[in-house]
Amino acid sequence: MKPNELLDPKCFRKIQNNNAIVIGAGPSIEESRVQNYLLEICSSGRGKFNTAVSGNMVVIAADGATEMCLDLGIIPDFVVTDLDGDRESLNRADSGGSIMVVHAHGDNFDKITSQVPYFSNVIGTTQNLPLKNVYNFGGFTDGDRSISLAVEFLAREIVLVGMDFDSKIGFFSKRKISNLELKKKKLQIGKYLTGVLLEKSSALVTQITTSNHDSSFYGVNKYKVI
C-alpha cells in the first residue's frame, strides 16, 4: 500500500449520530457473561443488532480485543491498533472489511513496515503533530484512542466494554509483558485521559462492568454490572 492509498477521516462519518460500542482488551472480555452481552447486541455478522441498544451500532475494537470479536463472529467496523495484537486476527479483520486505524510510534516501525502494506483499509494516526496523511485524534493507549474516535466523531451513545484500567492485564491485551509496572502506568494514563475526554463529551456513556473487574472513571453516565 502506498501513502496516497491511505484512507482519510471521511471513513469515520458512520460514527456520527450513531451508537458506538468500544471494546477494550481488558480481562472482563474473557468472561462468558460479557461475551454473551456482546452477542446480544451484535449477532454473528455485520449490521445485525439486537434491541438491547437502539439505533445503528458502530463497533470499535482496541487491538487485542479484535481476536475475541472475531471468535464471536463479530467483525469490527474499526480496529484501533499499534500492531501489538494477534497478527492473524488483525489480518482477518482487515480481510473482513474492518478499517484498520494504525498508530505509529517509536517502537513499532518494524511492524508497520512488515504488516501495513498487506492491509487493504488503513488510516494512520500519531500522538505527535499530524502529517498530510497521518492524524491525531487523541489518546495514549489503544483503548482510550478507541474512545477518542467515538467522541471526536460525535457518537450519540457510547457503550464501553472491556475497559478494565484497574484490573490485571488480560489475555487479549498482551501475551508477553516485559515490564509489568510500565504497562500498569500506561493504563492509568489511559484511564485519566478517558475521564477527561468523556467529561467533555455530549454522548451518553455507559460502562459495562462485572463484579470481578470494576473500573470507574469520570464522564460515565451509567454503570451496568452484568
Side-chain angles (χ1 to χ4, degrees):
M1 172 173 286
K2 299 177 182 179
N4 60 0
E5 294 176 333
L6 296 174
L7 300 175
D8 67 33
K10 293 178 182 177
C11 67
F12 298 118
R13 285 178 177 173
K14 65 164 61 180
I15 297 174
Q16 188 171 3
N17 294 323
N18 282 323
N19 299 327
I21 183 164
V22 184
I23 307 171
S28 65
I29 66 171
E30 300 166 33
E31 297 188 30
S32 59
R33 53 186 162 173
V34 174
Q35 295 180 8
N36 289 336
Y37 173 83
L38 290 171
L39 286 172
E40 287 178 3
I41 296 177
C42 312
S43 68
S44 297
R46 178 188 294 275
K48 298 179 181 178
F49 297 97
N50 186 285
T51 54
V53 178
S54 60
N56 294 326
M57 174 69 72
V58 176
V59 179
I60 304 173
D63 208 0
T66 306
E67 182 178 359
M68 185 276 303
C69 288
L70 294 175
D71 288 345
L72 295 180
I74 300 169
I75 300 177
D77 294 282
F78 301 98
V79 172
V80 178
T81 176
D82 62 359
L83 305 177
D84 272 347
D86 178 63
R87 181 167 182 168
E88 180 183 355
S89 297
L90 296 177
N91 289 336
R92 285 172 56 203
D94 175 73
S95 297
S98 298
I99 293 175
M100 312 301 289
V101 186
V102 178
H103 190 72
H105 54 68
D107 297 329
N108 69 344
F109 180 77
D110 290 345
K111 291 181 179 179
I112 288 174
T113 56
S114 64
Q115 293 179 241
V116 170
Y118 298 97
F119 290 154
S120 300
N121 314 291
V122 183
I123 183 167
T125 66
T126 179
Q127 286 172 210
N128 298 311
L129 290 174
L131 303 173
K132 180 179 178 181
N133 55 2
V134 180
Y135 305 91
N136 187 341
F137 304 119
F140 179 68
T141 69
D142 291 321
D144 59 288
R145 276 197 297 273
S146 301
I147 299 169
S148 293
L149 279 185
V151 172
E152 174 74 16
F153 291 95
L154 304 176
R156 178 176 58 190
E157 179 178 353
I158 302 171
V159 178
L160 306 178
V161 179
M163 293 297 170
D164 311 312
F165 290 105
D166 296 320
S167 295
K168 66 179 183 179
I169 309 303
F171 172 81
F172 292 105
S173 178
K174 210 162 190 177
R175 299 291 198 273
K176 296 180 181 180
I177 303 172
S178 58
N179 190 329
L180 180 59
E181 289 307 310
L182 179 60
K183 177 69 173 179
K184 289 181 177 179
K185 288 179 180 179
K186 288 181 176 180
L187 288 175
Q188 288 307 302
I189 293 172
K191 175 182 177 179
Y192 170 77
L193 292 176
T194 294
V196 172
L197 184 70
L198 294 181
E199 277 197 303
K200 297 179 180 179
S201 172
S202 60
L204 175 64
V205 182
T206 300
Q207 163 82 325
I208 304 301
T209 68
T210 71
S211 57
N212 296 327
H213 302 288
D214 186 14
S215 184
S216 59
F217 34 84
Y218 295 115
V220 172
N221 304 106
K222 178 182 177 182
Y223 290 91
K224 181 175 181 180
V225 180
I226 58 174

